[in-house]
Short mmCIF file of all heavy atoms in Angstrom, two decimals:
data_model
loop_
_atom_site.label_atom_id
_atom_site.label_comp_id
_atom_site.label_asym_id
_atom_site.label_seq_id
_atom_site.Cartn_x
_atom_site.Cartn_y
_atom_site.Cartn_z
N MET A 518 97.46 112.96 91.69
CA MET A 518 97.42 111.61 92.27
C MET A 518 98.69 110.84 91.99
O MET A 518 99.23 110.98 90.92
CB MET A 518 96.23 110.74 91.62
CG MET A 518 95.87 109.61 92.48
SD MET A 518 94.35 108.93 91.87
CE MET A 518 94.12 107.44 92.95
N VAL A 519 99.17 110.07 93.00
CA VAL A 519 100.37 109.36 92.85
C VAL A 519 100.25 107.95 93.18
O VAL A 519 99.36 107.51 93.98
CB VAL A 519 101.44 109.92 93.89
CG1 VAL A 519 102.70 109.11 93.90
CG2 VAL A 519 101.76 111.44 93.60
N GLN A 520 100.86 107.06 92.39
CA GLN A 520 100.79 105.62 92.66
C GLN A 520 101.99 105.10 93.17
O GLN A 520 103.12 105.53 92.77
CB GLN A 520 100.50 104.82 91.32
CG GLN A 520 101.56 104.91 90.30
CD GLN A 520 101.24 103.93 89.19
OE1 GLN A 520 100.28 104.02 88.51
NE2 GLN A 520 102.25 103.02 88.93
N LEU A 521 101.92 104.28 94.18
CA LEU A 521 103.11 103.49 94.70
C LEU A 521 102.99 102.20 94.11
O LEU A 521 101.98 101.45 94.19
CB LEU A 521 103.07 103.40 96.28
CG LEU A 521 103.00 104.72 96.92
CD1 LEU A 521 103.02 104.54 98.51
CD2 LEU A 521 104.06 105.68 96.52
N SER A 522 104.05 101.79 93.37
CA SER A 522 103.90 100.52 92.56
C SER A 522 105.25 99.90 92.48
O SER A 522 106.27 100.44 92.63
CB SER A 522 103.32 100.85 91.19
OG SER A 522 104.28 101.75 90.57
N THR A 523 105.18 98.65 92.04
CA THR A 523 106.42 97.91 91.69
C THR A 523 106.21 97.29 90.36
O THR A 523 105.11 96.88 89.87
CB THR A 523 106.73 96.68 92.65
OG1 THR A 523 105.65 95.94 92.85
CG2 THR A 523 107.23 97.29 93.99
N ASP A 524 107.34 97.15 89.54
CA ASP A 524 107.25 96.38 88.28
C ASP A 524 107.85 94.99 88.50
O ASP A 524 108.92 94.86 89.04
CB ASP A 524 107.99 97.22 87.21
CG ASP A 524 107.23 98.37 86.73
OD1 ASP A 524 106.05 98.43 86.94
OD2 ASP A 524 107.88 99.30 86.19
N THR A 525 107.15 94.03 88.00
CA THR A 525 107.78 92.76 87.97
C THR A 525 108.75 92.54 86.83
O THR A 525 108.73 93.34 85.90
CB THR A 525 106.71 91.54 87.98
OG1 THR A 525 106.12 91.66 86.67
CG2 THR A 525 105.70 91.77 89.00
N ALA A 526 109.68 91.49 86.85
CA ALA A 526 110.63 91.34 85.80
C ALA A 526 109.85 91.21 84.51
O ALA A 526 110.37 91.69 83.42
CB ALA A 526 111.39 90.08 86.12
N SER A 527 108.72 90.56 84.53
CA SER A 527 107.93 90.33 83.23
C SER A 527 107.26 91.60 82.76
O SER A 527 106.57 91.47 81.81
CB SER A 527 106.99 89.24 83.41
OG SER A 527 106.11 89.47 84.49
N GLY A 528 107.43 92.72 83.39
CA GLY A 528 106.96 93.90 82.88
C GLY A 528 105.63 94.31 83.40
O GLY A 528 104.98 95.30 83.00
N LYS A 529 104.95 93.50 84.26
CA LYS A 529 103.68 93.83 84.72
C LYS A 529 103.78 94.72 85.96
O LYS A 529 104.74 94.61 86.74
CB LYS A 529 102.90 92.55 85.20
CG LYS A 529 102.56 91.67 84.09
CD LYS A 529 101.39 90.80 84.41
CE LYS A 529 100.90 90.08 83.20
NZ LYS A 529 99.61 89.45 83.38
N THR A 530 103.01 95.75 86.03
CA THR A 530 103.01 96.63 87.24
C THR A 530 101.95 96.25 88.21
O THR A 530 100.82 95.82 87.84
CB THR A 530 102.84 98.08 86.81
OG1 THR A 530 101.61 98.25 86.24
CG2 THR A 530 103.89 98.51 85.86
N SER A 531 102.23 96.30 89.41
CA SER A 531 101.29 96.21 90.48
C SER A 531 101.16 97.48 91.28
O SER A 531 102.27 97.93 91.84
CB SER A 531 101.67 95.00 91.39
OG SER A 531 100.86 94.93 92.48
N ILE A 532 100.03 98.11 91.33
CA ILE A 532 99.84 99.29 92.11
C ILE A 532 99.63 98.86 93.55
O ILE A 532 98.61 98.15 93.75
CB ILE A 532 98.77 100.23 91.59
CG1 ILE A 532 99.06 100.52 90.08
CG2 ILE A 532 98.56 101.46 92.35
CD1 ILE A 532 98.02 101.42 89.45
N LEU A 533 100.32 99.40 94.48
CA LEU A 533 100.14 98.99 95.82
C LEU A 533 99.26 99.95 96.57
O LEU A 533 98.49 99.58 97.48
CB LEU A 533 101.50 98.91 96.56
CG LEU A 533 102.52 97.96 95.93
CD1 LEU A 533 103.92 98.25 96.34
CD2 LEU A 533 102.12 96.50 96.17
N ALA A 534 99.28 101.14 96.16
CA ALA A 534 98.41 102.11 96.77
C ALA A 534 98.30 103.35 95.86
O ALA A 534 99.25 103.71 95.17
CB ALA A 534 99.02 102.61 98.16
N GLY A 535 97.13 103.99 95.89
CA GLY A 535 96.94 105.28 95.12
C GLY A 535 96.91 106.33 96.29
O GLY A 535 96.20 106.22 97.17
N ILE A 536 97.78 107.36 96.05
CA ILE A 536 97.79 108.48 96.98
C ILE A 536 97.11 109.69 96.36
O ILE A 536 97.57 110.17 95.37
CB ILE A 536 99.28 108.76 97.38
CG1 ILE A 536 99.99 107.59 97.73
CG2 ILE A 536 99.27 109.83 98.48
CD1 ILE A 536 99.70 106.95 99.03
N THR A 537 96.09 110.12 97.03
CA THR A 537 95.33 111.27 96.48
C THR A 537 95.77 112.61 97.11
O THR A 537 96.52 112.57 98.26
CB THR A 537 93.79 111.12 96.68
OG1 THR A 537 93.50 110.74 97.98
CG2 THR A 537 93.28 109.97 95.81
N ALA A 538 95.29 113.78 96.59
CA ALA A 538 95.72 114.99 97.10
C ALA A 538 95.36 115.15 98.61
O ALA A 538 94.28 114.67 99.12
CB ALA A 538 94.94 116.10 96.43
N GLY A 539 96.23 115.63 99.36
CA GLY A 539 96.06 115.93 100.84
C GLY A 539 96.77 114.89 101.61
O GLY A 539 96.81 115.06 102.92
N SER A 540 97.32 113.83 101.09
CA SER A 540 97.96 112.84 102.02
C SER A 540 99.41 112.74 101.67
O SER A 540 99.98 113.17 100.59
CB SER A 540 97.29 111.54 101.93
OG SER A 540 97.41 110.94 100.59
N TRP A 541 100.14 112.31 102.70
CA TRP A 541 101.61 112.32 102.77
C TRP A 541 102.07 110.85 102.70
O TRP A 541 101.48 109.98 103.24
CB TRP A 541 102.12 112.97 104.02
CG TRP A 541 101.82 114.42 104.10
CD1 TRP A 541 100.65 115.10 104.24
CD2 TRP A 541 102.80 115.47 103.77
NE1 TRP A 541 100.83 116.48 104.09
CE2 TRP A 541 102.16 116.72 103.89
CE3 TRP A 541 104.11 115.54 103.52
CZ2 TRP A 541 102.69 117.92 103.70
CZ3 TRP A 541 104.83 116.74 103.44
CH2 TRP A 541 104.08 117.95 103.51
N PHE A 542 103.23 110.66 101.99
CA PHE A 542 103.74 109.31 101.85
C PHE A 542 105.28 109.30 101.96
O PHE A 542 105.90 110.32 101.82
CB PHE A 542 103.22 108.66 100.71
CG PHE A 542 103.86 109.18 99.42
CD1 PHE A 542 105.05 108.65 98.77
CD2 PHE A 542 103.22 110.27 98.76
CE1 PHE A 542 105.55 109.19 97.63
CE2 PHE A 542 103.70 110.77 97.56
CZ PHE A 542 104.86 110.31 97.07
N GLY A 543 105.85 108.04 102.18
CA GLY A 543 107.24 107.89 102.25
C GLY A 543 107.89 107.97 103.63
O GLY A 543 109.14 107.88 103.76
N GLU A 544 107.04 107.90 104.66
CA GLU A 544 107.58 107.98 105.98
C GLU A 544 108.37 106.78 106.37
O GLU A 544 109.28 106.78 107.22
CB GLU A 544 106.50 108.28 107.01
CG GLU A 544 105.37 107.20 107.03
CD GLU A 544 104.36 107.34 106.06
OE1 GLU A 544 104.38 108.48 105.38
OE2 GLU A 544 103.53 106.42 105.93
N GLY A 545 108.04 105.61 105.70
CA GLY A 545 108.72 104.44 106.01
C GLY A 545 110.22 104.53 105.65
O GLY A 545 111.04 104.15 106.54
N SER A 546 110.53 104.97 104.51
CA SER A 546 111.91 105.17 104.18
C SER A 546 112.55 106.27 105.00
O SER A 546 113.78 106.16 105.25
CB SER A 546 112.03 105.53 102.69
OG SER A 546 111.44 104.51 101.87
N MET A 547 111.87 107.29 105.43
CA MET A 547 112.50 108.28 106.33
C MET A 547 112.82 107.69 107.66
O MET A 547 113.89 107.93 108.21
CB MET A 547 111.39 109.39 106.61
CG MET A 547 111.02 110.12 105.38
SD MET A 547 112.01 111.67 105.09
CE MET A 547 113.15 111.00 103.93
N LEU A 548 112.02 106.90 108.31
CA LEU A 548 112.12 106.36 109.59
C LEU A 548 113.18 105.32 109.63
O LEU A 548 113.94 105.17 110.65
CB LEU A 548 110.81 105.87 110.13
CG LEU A 548 109.75 106.80 110.44
CD1 LEU A 548 108.41 106.13 110.62
CD2 LEU A 548 110.05 107.59 111.62
N LYS A 549 113.25 104.51 108.64
CA LYS A 549 114.30 103.42 108.65
C LYS A 549 115.57 103.83 108.03
O LYS A 549 116.52 103.05 107.90
CB LYS A 549 113.66 102.15 108.05
CG LYS A 549 112.59 101.54 108.93
CD LYS A 549 112.37 100.10 108.56
CE LYS A 549 111.42 99.93 107.39
NZ LYS A 549 111.16 98.59 106.98
N GLN A 550 115.71 105.03 107.44
CA GLN A 550 116.92 105.39 106.68
C GLN A 550 117.27 104.34 105.71
O GLN A 550 118.36 103.87 105.68
CB GLN A 550 118.05 105.62 107.64
CG GLN A 550 117.69 106.41 108.84
CD GLN A 550 117.95 107.94 108.68
OE1 GLN A 550 118.46 108.29 107.64
NE2 GLN A 550 117.56 108.74 109.61
N GLU A 551 116.26 104.01 104.83
CA GLU A 551 116.63 102.95 103.89
C GLU A 551 116.23 103.33 102.54
O GLU A 551 115.56 104.37 102.35
CB GLU A 551 115.76 101.62 104.18
CG GLU A 551 114.32 101.95 104.00
CD GLU A 551 113.48 100.75 104.38
OE1 GLU A 551 113.93 99.74 104.88
OE2 GLU A 551 112.20 100.81 104.19
N LYS A 552 116.65 102.58 101.53
CA LYS A 552 116.35 102.85 100.19
C LYS A 552 114.90 102.69 99.97
O LYS A 552 114.24 101.87 100.68
CB LYS A 552 117.08 101.90 99.25
CG LYS A 552 118.53 102.17 99.25
CD LYS A 552 119.28 101.17 98.29
CE LYS A 552 120.75 101.43 98.41
NZ LYS A 552 121.48 100.35 97.58
N ARG A 553 114.30 103.37 98.99
CA ARG A 553 112.84 103.28 98.79
C ARG A 553 112.45 101.79 98.36
O ARG A 553 113.19 101.31 97.53
CB ARG A 553 112.40 104.24 97.69
CG ARG A 553 112.20 105.66 98.26
CD ARG A 553 111.24 106.46 97.52
NE ARG A 553 110.00 105.73 97.42
CZ ARG A 553 109.06 105.73 98.40
NH1 ARG A 553 109.23 106.52 99.49
NH2 ARG A 553 107.95 105.20 98.38
N LYS A 554 111.33 101.38 98.82
CA LYS A 554 110.78 100.07 98.52
C LYS A 554 109.98 99.99 97.23
O LYS A 554 109.81 98.97 96.65
CB LYS A 554 110.09 99.44 99.71
CG LYS A 554 110.90 99.13 100.93
CD LYS A 554 111.62 97.84 100.70
CE LYS A 554 112.24 97.38 102.04
NZ LYS A 554 113.72 97.75 102.16
N PHE A 555 109.49 101.17 96.87
CA PHE A 555 108.56 101.21 95.66
C PHE A 555 108.87 102.40 94.82
O PHE A 555 109.50 103.31 95.21
CB PHE A 555 107.11 101.34 96.14
CG PHE A 555 106.70 100.62 97.40
CD1 PHE A 555 106.50 101.21 98.58
CD2 PHE A 555 106.68 99.20 97.36
CE1 PHE A 555 106.17 100.57 99.71
CE2 PHE A 555 106.48 98.40 98.50
CZ PHE A 555 106.17 99.10 99.68
N ASP A 556 108.35 102.29 93.59
CA ASP A 556 108.39 103.48 92.75
C ASP A 556 107.22 104.47 93.16
O ASP A 556 106.21 103.92 93.58
CB ASP A 556 108.15 103.10 91.25
CG ASP A 556 109.24 102.27 90.76
OD1 ASP A 556 110.37 102.41 91.19
OD2 ASP A 556 108.94 101.48 89.79
N ALA A 557 107.42 105.69 93.04
CA ALA A 557 106.31 106.59 93.16
C ALA A 557 106.17 107.33 91.80
O ALA A 557 107.14 107.95 91.36
CB ALA A 557 106.51 107.64 94.31
N ILE A 558 105.08 107.19 91.19
CA ILE A 558 104.79 107.83 89.81
C ILE A 558 103.54 108.62 89.86
O ILE A 558 102.55 108.27 90.41
CB ILE A 558 104.62 106.57 88.80
CG1 ILE A 558 105.91 105.83 88.73
CG2 ILE A 558 104.26 107.16 87.44
CD1 ILE A 558 105.72 104.52 87.99
N ALA A 559 103.65 109.79 89.21
CA ALA A 559 102.48 110.65 89.07
C ALA A 559 101.53 110.04 88.11
O ALA A 559 101.73 109.75 86.90
CB ALA A 559 102.98 112.03 88.44
N LEU A 560 100.40 109.73 88.63
CA LEU A 560 99.22 109.07 87.88
C LEU A 560 98.54 110.03 87.12
O LEU A 560 97.86 109.79 86.11
CB LEU A 560 98.36 108.38 88.88
CG LEU A 560 97.53 107.25 88.43
CD1 LEU A 560 98.36 106.13 87.78
CD2 LEU A 560 96.73 106.56 89.71
N ARG A 561 98.54 111.33 87.60
CA ARG A 561 97.95 112.55 87.00
C ARG A 561 98.97 113.64 87.08
O ARG A 561 99.94 113.52 87.84
CB ARG A 561 96.68 112.98 87.85
CG ARG A 561 95.59 111.97 87.83
CD ARG A 561 94.73 111.97 86.62
NE ARG A 561 93.92 110.84 86.52
CZ ARG A 561 94.26 109.72 86.04
NH1 ARG A 561 95.46 109.59 85.48
NH2 ARG A 561 93.39 108.70 86.01
N PRO A 562 98.76 114.68 86.28
CA PRO A 562 99.66 115.83 86.54
C PRO A 562 99.49 116.19 88.02
O PRO A 562 98.44 116.36 88.55
CB PRO A 562 99.03 116.90 85.65
CG PRO A 562 98.24 116.18 84.57
CD PRO A 562 97.81 114.84 85.27
N SER A 563 100.71 116.29 88.64
CA SER A 563 100.59 116.45 90.13
C SER A 563 101.59 117.45 90.60
O SER A 563 102.63 117.79 90.00
CB SER A 563 101.00 115.10 90.84
OG SER A 563 100.19 114.07 90.55
N ILE A 564 101.20 118.10 91.83
CA ILE A 564 102.21 118.96 92.46
C ILE A 564 102.41 118.33 93.84
O ILE A 564 101.45 117.84 94.56
CB ILE A 564 101.58 120.32 92.59
CG1 ILE A 564 101.26 120.98 91.25
CG2 ILE A 564 102.58 121.25 93.47
CD1 ILE A 564 100.63 122.32 91.38
N VAL A 565 103.67 118.07 94.08
CA VAL A 565 104.10 117.33 95.33
C VAL A 565 104.96 118.14 96.16
O VAL A 565 105.97 118.74 95.66
CB VAL A 565 104.82 116.02 94.90
CG1 VAL A 565 105.25 115.24 96.08
CG2 VAL A 565 103.93 115.18 93.99
N ALA A 566 104.70 118.28 97.44
CA ALA A 566 105.49 118.93 98.41
C ALA A 566 106.59 118.04 98.93
O ALA A 566 106.30 116.73 99.04
CB ALA A 566 104.61 119.42 99.58
N GLN A 567 107.79 118.59 99.19
CA GLN A 567 108.90 117.77 99.67
C GLN A 567 109.39 118.24 100.96
O GLN A 567 109.84 119.45 100.99
CB GLN A 567 110.02 117.69 98.66
CG GLN A 567 109.59 117.30 97.19
CD GLN A 567 110.77 117.34 96.24
OE1 GLN A 567 111.74 118.00 96.46
NE2 GLN A 567 110.62 116.47 95.20
N MET A 568 109.38 117.44 101.90
CA MET A 568 109.97 117.86 103.25
C MET A 568 111.39 117.13 103.37
O MET A 568 111.41 115.99 103.31
CB MET A 568 109.16 117.52 104.42
CG MET A 568 109.74 117.94 105.75
SD MET A 568 108.79 117.24 107.12
CE MET A 568 107.35 118.26 107.07
#
Side-chain angles (χ1 to χ4, degrees):
Chain A
M518 192 170 181
V519 173
Q520 67 172 55
L521 304 183
S522 58
T523 52
D524 286 342
T525 63
S527 56
K529 295 202 165 191
T530 63
S531 169
I532 302 182
L533 303 162
I536 310 288
T537 49
S540 62
W541 292 74
F542 68 92
E544 63 280 349
S546 299
M547 295 268 95
L548 290 167
K549 287 201 278 181
Q550 312 270 352
E551 68 182 4
K552 293 178 183 176
R553 282 207 57 80
K554 290 280 192 266
F555 322 111
D556 296 331
I558 296 170
L560 203 54
R561 297 280 167 273
S563 301
I564 300 177
V565 179
Q567 309 181 332
M568 176 191 290

